[in-house]
Amino acid sequence: MPLSDRAILREPTVTVLARPQFSEPGHLPVQWIGEATDGERLAEYAGRLCYMSQRNPAGRDTREYLENIKKQGHGSVLEHANYSLLLEGISRSLTHELVRHRAGFAYSQLSQRYVDESDAQFVMPPAIIGDVPLEDAWTAQVGAALDSYVGLVEQLMSRYAWVDDKVHRRKMAREAARGVLPNSTETKIVVTGNARAWRTMLELRSSEAAELEIRRLAVLALRVLQQEAPAFFSDFEIYLASDRREAARITYHKV
């Protein structure tokens, strides 16, 4: 059966699920200057505690303070601020790369073993988009894979009809049939990471050397996080690379 337009995804989405909430203790207040998010103030507070500099002797506002932190490479204070993002419209090929970033991250991903993929969507690789013959060939291939999956689930449900527990029977069928689904199958994943970990991942995956789909996601996630906590990500610059696609570069490496 031909895939509908709805089944083909060409862009990812990023949704913020959680952000830091900072509660300043009354007995150790900081002399704050300027506007800041809770995450930024949490990092500044942690940094000032190390030297008991709550009186802010240099008279820096929060974002100046964190700029100096990045410049000096004292990135450990950024680890206190965690951000949780829901990533959708991405392929399982992408998440195989994403979850290699372990330090400072937590992941919860859609399970093909438990979730019915009969109405699965598929993420068209950026390199294919805009080339009609390539788009048609790719669409035909993922459509055939989906048909195979649906057929296998039906056959496996019949084969295991003797299993009285219907939930377990469906799980047995789906876990076997999912093997024919391609890496382009869309998945959803919740990713929680501290600001330092996000910086490292974004530096690597938004670069021109990164694979195109994860690079596209990294640039989008960077934009979202720059809105959430500008001081943590202000030294990233998004630009149009020589391949006419967006990439990003960073000023302070491996903070």
Side-chain angles (χ1 to χ4, degrees):
M1 176 181 290
L3 290 177
S4 66
D5 291 341
R6 177 187 166 280
I8 306 300
L9 302 175
R10 298 168 186 264
E11 295 287 343
T13 62
V14 176
T15 305
V16 178
L17 298 181
R19 56 181 64 86
Q21 183 176 358
F22 173 60
S23 299
E24 183 181 23
H27 67 289
L28 284 175
V30 166
Q31 184 179 337
W32 306 106
I33 300 176
E35 295 183 356
T37 66
D38 275 15
E40 292 165 345
R41 287 200 166 169
L42 174 59
E44 180 180 1
Y45 189 90
R48 291 196 178 281
L49 182 71
C50 295
Y51 305 100
M52 293 301 287
S53 63
Q54 288 91 340
R55 293 186 178 180
N56 196 354
R60 289 193 178 109
D61 67 32
T62 297
R63 289 171 184 171
E64 289 173 332
Y65 177 87
L66 292 173
E67 187 72 11
N68 187 59
I69 285 286
K70 291 182 295 185
K71 182 178 180 180
Q72 298 298 325
H74 299 321
S76 60
V77 299
L78 276 59
E79 295 177 13
H80 295 288
N82 285 272
Y83 296 87
S84 297
L85 304 183
L86 168 63
L87 311 181
E88 300 175 277
I90 58 175
S91 70
R92 296 188 69 86
S93 179
L94 184 155
T95 58
H96 289 326
E97 293 192 58
L98 179 64
V99 299
R100 292 173 62 194
H101 297 275
R102 303 305 308 173
F105 280 105
Y107 302 99
S108 296
Q109 185 172 358
L110 180 153
S111 170
Q112 288 184 322
R113 189 184 185 203
Y114 288 89
V115 177
D116 180 17
E117 294 279 34
S118 298
D119 294 319
Q121 294 176 296
F122 299 90
V123 179
M124 183 174 286
I128 290 175
I129 295 174
D131 187 309
V132 174
L134 285 176
E135 287 191 6
D136 289 345
W138 176 87
T139 301
Q141 290 174 30
V142 297
L146 182 60
D147 288 342
S148 295
Y149 170 83
V150 172
L152 280 170
V153 169
E154 291 177 354
Q155 293 173 57
L156 287 160
M157 288 294 287
S158 296
R159 180 180 184 185
Y160 292 113
W162 53 270
V163 177
D164 293 330
D165 186 333
K166 292 182 180 180
V167 173
H168 185 58
R169 193 192 320 161
R170 285 196 296 268
K171 182 175 67 175
M172 293 172 68
R174 291 169 186 168
E175 69 186 12
R178 64 182 170 171
V180 301
L181 291 173
N183 274 348
S184 293
T185 307
E186 190 261 355
T187 190
K188 305 177 191 299
I189 188 168
V190 173
V191 183
T192 298
N194 65 62
R196 190 184 201 181
W198 278 115
R199 284 177 57 85
T200 299
M201 189 280 282
L202 293 174
E203 177 181 357
L204 294 172
R205 299 303 184 172
S206 67
S207 74
E208 292 187 47
E211 186 271 335
L212 285 177
E213 188 194 353
I214 200 168
R215 173 173 148 191
R216 179 178 64 183
L217 173 72
V219 170
L220 177 57
L222 172 59
R223 284 196 167 99
V224 170
L225 289 169
Q226 283 180 326
Q227 289 290 320
E228 279 293 312
F232 292 152
F233 304 97
S234 60
D235 57 322
F236 280 87
E237 176 195 4
I238 297 172
Y239 67 98
L240 193 65
S242 58
D243 59 5
R244 294 179 289 180
R245 299 176 187 275
E246 287 189 322
R249 51 194 165 213
I250 192 172
T251 301
Y252 304 119
H253 298 274
K254 296 185 178 180
V255 167

